[in-house]
Structures are given as C-alpha cells and as structure tokens.
Amino acid sequence: THCPGINLVCPRGPVQAKGLLLAAIRSPDPTIVFEPKVLYRQSVEEVPVGDFEIPIGKAEVVQEGTDVTLVGWGNQVNRLLKTAELAAADGISCEVIDLRTILPWDE
C-alpha cells in the first residue's frame, strides 16, 4: 500500500459507507473503497438522506477507555466492540478506535 496519493477506506456500516463513498468521489486523489460483503447482511442503520462526507484520513474513537486501546477498521470494529464488552466484565476498560481510512492513517 505504498502508492503516493492513493486513499484506502473501509466503512464499518451503512452510514460510514455513504459518507466515505461521497468523500471518495469528491477527493482529488484516487480512492479505493473496500466494502465488506458481510455489512450488506449484518448492519442495519438509519442512513441520513442528506448529503454528508466523512473526512478521509480521520479516525473515530468509537468507545472511550483507559486500560487498553483496540484499533481496527471495517467489520473488525464490531468484533472489537464485543471484545471490549467481554473485557469490561473483567474490569478492563477498552478504548476502541475505527481507522475508517487504512491509508492515510490518522496520527
């Protein structure tokens, strides 16, 4: 993935798919959008009708935590949230970060 100027994005759900796709279409750089097929069957969200973009290169903190940080993208984030729930039962506070953009990474 060392191609200058290429963006790689991977949404975790329908709302992100729309926002990242619109951002990709409007980006001056070539952008590859990975859409995991499993999202078509598993994810159910109310997608806003209006126009909106999710910034390329900006991660999202999905869950705050203090003991450990779990980082993923796409459908992995849903698994990380379930893992964070299991860890919370043992008293471990997990921060979950969705990269949303695989390249460039949010620093």
Side-chain angles (χ1 to χ4, degrees):
T1 61
H2 296 316
C3 296
I6 292 183
N7 299 320
L8 302 173
V9 299
C10 188
R12 74 171 183 270
V15 172
Q16 282 197 341
K18 179 179 178 179
L20 289 170
L21 185 59
L22 288 173
I25 290 168
R26 295 173 181 147
S27 173
D29 297 320
T31 304
I32 299 171
V33 179
F34 293 115
E35 284 189 295
K37 282 184 171 182
V38 71
L39 294 180
Y40 296 141
R41 294 184 279 295
Q42 285 183 346
S43 292
V44 178
E45 294 178 339
E46 190 68 32
V47 179
V49 176
D51 189 289
F52 70 96
E53 291 182 35
I54 293 176
I56 293 176
K58 185 74 175 153
E60 176 186 8
V61 177
V62 181
Q63 178 176 307
E64 297 285 339
T66 56
D67 296 325
V68 67
T69 300
L70 308 174
V71 180
W73 60 85
N75 196 42
Q76 293 175 356
V77 176
N78 298 320
R79 291 185 176 99
L80 292 177
L81 289 168
K82 289 178 184 175
T83 302
E85 284 180 28
L86 294 173
D90 291 334
I92 301 169
S93 174
C94 297
E95 175 184 46
V96 178
I97 296 176
D98 180 1
L99 290 177
R100 298 193 294 198
T101 303
I102 301 169
L103 188 69
W105 272 36
D106 184 3
E107 295 181 30

